[in-house]
Amino acid sequence: MAKSNHLKKLQFSLPSSWYFDSNFYDKELSELWMKNWIYLCHSSNLKNNLDFRTFSIGKQNIILIRNSHGKLLAFYNTCRHRGSLIVTETFGRLKSKLFTCPYHQWSYSSDDGKLAKVASFSEIPEGFCKENFSLYKIALKEWRGCIFINLSEKPIWDDASVFQRSPEGLKQHPIENMTCGKIWEKTLNCNWKSFWENFNECLHCPNVHPELTDLVPMFNRRIINPRDLPNWETKSEHSDPKYSGGLKKGAETWSDDGSAQGRIIETLGQDEILKGHVYASAWPSVFIGGYADHVRIVKINPIEPEKIKISAEWLFENETLKDKNYNKDNVISFACRVMEQDGKACELNQIGIHSKPHKQGVLMPEEYVIKNFHDWLKKQLKIKNYSDYKV
């Protein structure tokens, strides 16, 4: 029988200054966000050839394009002339195969990023070669329809290192064949780490999420895993969802009324349906939730030391979206309420950590995933002990 994951020894949280110090934030951007695989969006958001989207990671602006051959490519959104932004829209479709800089009209092929033409009327300087001035290409990986990029040199994709919470539980969800039916975005006044910490514990659930704890009775016990219960072994075969972790009796999915409206994903087995929800996490940028009738992908993007943007995509099977009797807002409004509640809690926490005497918090036994997150963070930043980096 597996043991509980509870923390056995006193563990302190990260220093408070790490959540608002601008120098530490810059260190995270350069050593963590610029070197890991970062989620951008689901591929269904670029359905047609020449569809594009732009994204920002810190001060790096990125173009994502499905070229004329249907291939997904990513480039830095930077003209090779004097550095201007090339694409100013957040999404759209090119009218031709060319990106054209709005400043001096240098044009680039959207198929491969090569420089197509310059707008100079004078003679081209001696030694100037178009082949040397292509757009800067970015490493891209499409994993089951989910588009990730990496801003480091020659990165290697490895599922085991990209996902800290394994995506194995999502294998029966047809993510790559689903379609995005809604995108929701919200700006929060908190540090990006605060949002991850909130996601990885449920001590806050009864007070912050009354609707969610009604839907998932185990969350009302302030835990995220059945093994977090005292003496959990004696209840390991218990079918009551407050012990097993599933949805309340009669509920099928995360929605306002708990109903999947007759659209349960056919590839799911009984085990997946009974669980009610399953998750995968790829720090620092995304978690993916699988439910009986849909998939929800939540992306975290840092804007400033104390400001982030979260965005959620809801994926549905095509037949579900075509079903006139299926109301996707039943699903979307429920999750939005939960995320709004989380956001408010994170913003309150962000204000509180500025207290002069509060230098560091402490973790409770159930917050073992937060401890794992902190260990991952310190490893990424090459910090062994909190005292090794002072601000």
Side-chain angles (χ1 to χ4, degrees), residues 266-327:
E266 292 185 0
T267 54
L268 298 183
Q270 193 61 26
D271 287 345
E272 286 88 4
I273 295 172
L274 287 174
K275 285 180 181 177
H277 46 182
V278 63
Y279 298 94
S281 297
W283 297 334
S285 65
V286 69
F287 70 81
I288 306 171
Y291 310 90
D293 57 338
H294 69 284
V295 167
R296 177 171 57 108
I297 304 177
V298 178
K299 178 175 67 173
I300 296 91
N301 188 30
I303 300 174
E304 298 173 3
E306 299 186 77
K307 183 176 291 186
I308 66 172
K309 178 183 285 186
I310 58 170
S311 59
E313 297 167 287
W314 283 265
L315 309 182
F316 302 92
E317 292 184 295
N318 290 327
E319 291 305 312
T320 297
L321 290 174
K322 293 176 183 178
D323 188 343
K324 295 181 179 179
N325 295 317
Y326 184 87
N327 178 15

Side-chain angles (χ1 to χ4, degrees), residues 335-360:
C336 285
R337 186 180 304 115
V338 172
M339 290 186 289
E340 293 270 9
Q341 292 165 343
D342 282 329
K344 183 178 180 181
C346 291
E347 290 182 329
L348 291 175
N349 197 80
Q350 188 68 32
I351 296 171
I353 60 174
H354 279 276
S355 173
K356 282 184 65 177
H358 186 76
K359 304 301 181 184
Q360 199 168 18

Side-chain angles (χ1 to χ4, degrees), residues 42-81:
H42 189 262
S43 61
S44 64
N45 288 303
L46 294 94
K47 294 180 180 179
N48 305 297
N49 293 355
L50 302 184
D51 280 355
F52 68 85
R53 287 184 172 265
T54 56
F55 303 87
S56 292
I57 302 172
K59 293 185 179 180
Q60 306 305 306
N61 201 268
I62 296 125
I63 303 170
L64 177 64
I65 179 82
R66 187 179 292 281
N67 71 12
S68 65
H69 305 292
K71 183 179 180 180
L72 289 167
L73 296 170
F75 304 100
Y76 284 95
N77 192 4
T78 302
C79 181
R80 294 298 303 276
H81 177 209

Side-chain angles (χ1 to χ4, degrees), residues 198-209:
N198 179 84
F199 173 70
N200 285 318
E201 54 90 356
C202 215
L203 291 176
H204 71 280
C205 287
N207 186 54
V208 174
H209 301 304

Side-chain angles (χ1 to χ4, degrees), residues 14 18 24-33 35-36 192-193 374-384 388-389:
L14 302 178
W18 291 14
F24 190 80
Y25 173 73
D26 289 342
K27 179 180 177 67
E28 290 178 327
L29 285 180
S30 64
E31 298 184 22
L32 193 156
W33 286 87
K35 294 182 180 180
N36 281 282
W192 69 272
K193 297 185 292 297
H374 291 173
D375 289 344
W376 173 85
L377 179 82
K378 289 187 290 183
K379 184 177 180 180
Q380 292 280 315
L381 300 178
K382 299 180 176 60
I383 298 174
K384 291 184 179 180
D388 292 343
Y389 189 91

